[in-house]
Amino acid sequence: MVLTVESRRVLAVCVVTVFIGLCDRVQISVAIIHMAQELHWSLSEQGAVLAAFFYGYTLTQVWGASLGANYGPRRVLAAAMFAWSFLTILTPCMARWSFTLAIASRVLLGVFEGVTFPCIFAIISPLVSEADRGGVVAWINVGHCLGTVTAFFLCPILSANYGWPSSFYLFGLLGVGVAATWAEISRRPYLAASKDKPEDNLPRLGGGYDSMNSSISNAVSKRPIAAMVAMLREPAVAAICFSHFCNNYGSFTVLSWLPTIMSERFSVEGTDLSMACLPYIAAMFGALFGGHLSDRFVAAGFALNSVRVSMVGASFSVAAIALLGVTTASNAQTALLLFS
């Protein structure tokens, strides 16, 4: 992977941004056990709080790409990160004030975090050649997994020693610092991997993709709904969306409910809940291995489409078998092994 020093710095900040975003998103999966005890929330109310984030998160995926295209992805990401970091700091106060404000804080957190990946991919796309993108996306996924690992590991310890609000204050303040870094980066000249224009680095996997890139670019410049329609007309994009839906159905359910499952079904309590981070340590290494393996296959001359489809198909098959196995697990260790 050939990147300039400055490009590597930007990529590193992208990874840290995803890391902080996941910490802010995931910590409530652990904290809600203590929040429910203090605030007397029922299991259905806990589910409503955990689900609220995703309503806001879904709303700004396409809008985030449109804002990034119009105002610059680094500026948009800096503003969004400032907003969601302050919301994270305010979440304990809002939750204690009322259940409605607890829901509102999570919805708004999702709204602002929803721009993260559209902006990050817009930032890194011009910096990385097509052949190296698998490895770069793998590092972004490492930030994703590492944020989950950190939240699942630290939050039970912080809650036991300093109270459940402490993790919100810690990760919120860290987010403010990273947002300030983006604000500084946004003032620099646009970075590119080569002398080509950024749009020249867009992936072109076949004859139909040239027209797809053109139609999407034109649509994004006009309105986000048109961009969505233009993308969904492409069978490959529709297939990616369906695959992402299937992945998220399993992964976000586990992400939100794993600590509760460990507590309610297997009677794991207190700092022992930190073991919930183990599946995401495995996922972190899996992401790196899969990303670099796919890049090697592409470099060896295998068709890019075939490599991507094969990797996704193999990973989904193993994950599906493991999730089915979880339903029969009789102890926490077996369940964690299958989740991993």
Side-chain angles (χ1 to χ4, degrees), residues 27-238:
Q27 61 185 320
I28 200 168
S29 300
V30 177
I32 201 164
I33 297 171
H34 304 281
M35 295 169 75
Q37 294 170 353
E38 177 184 324
L39 303 172
H40 308 292
W41 289 346
S42 67
L43 200 59
S44 61
E45 288 174 323
Q46 294 176 52
V49 172
L50 291 172
F53 171 88
F54 298 102
Y55 292 112
Y57 191 70
T58 303
L59 286 174
T60 49
Q61 295 291 304
V62 176
W63 297 107
S66 177
L67 287 170
N70 286 306
Y71 300 103
R74 291 173 289 175
R75 292 189 183 92
V76 172
L77 188 55
M81 197 169 189
F82 270 123
W84 94 56
S85 297
F86 283 118
L87 266 171
T88 299
I89 294 170
L90 292 173
T91 294
C93 179
M94 296 174 74
R96 284 170 167 163
W97 188 268
S98 76
F99 179 74
T100 301
L101 284 178
I103 294 288
S105 70
R106 295 300 295 174
V107 172
L108 288 173
L109 181 69
V111 166
F112 290 115
E113 282 209 26
V115 309
T116 304
F117 285 102
C119 286
I120 280 178
F121 289 134
I123 290 166
I124 66 175
S125 179
L127 308 180
V128 184
S129 68
E130 182 176 311
D132 291 328
R133 283 180 183 157
V136 169
V137 172
W139 278 107
I140 297 297
N141 285 333
V142 166
H144 189 284
C145 296
L146 193 58
T148 307
V149 168
T150 302
F152 278 174
F153 180 77
L154 282 183
C155 288
I157 298 172
L158 290 171
S159 295
N161 290 284
Y162 305 105
W164 62 264
S166 59
S167 61
F168 291 88
Y169 302 146
L170 172 63
F171 295 128
L173 289 171
L174 290 174
V176 171
V178 179
T181 301
W182 277 120
E184 191 275 329
I185 290 175
S186 67
R187 291 193 288 268
R188 302 179 191 174
Y190 195 82
L191 303 169
S194 67
K195 294 180 180 179
D196 298 333
K197 294 180 294 182
E199 57 266 27
D200 290 337
N201 287 326
L202 288 169
R204 291 175 169 79
L205 309 184
Y209 278 73
D210 289 339
S211 60
M212 181 183 76
N213 288 327
S214 176
S215 63
I216 291 173
S217 298
N218 291 335
V220 168
S221 66
K222 295 177 182 177
R223 55 190 185 278
I225 298 301
M228 180 181 291
V229 172
M231 287 188 288
L232 291 178
R233 284 175 179 168
E234 295 294 328
V237 174

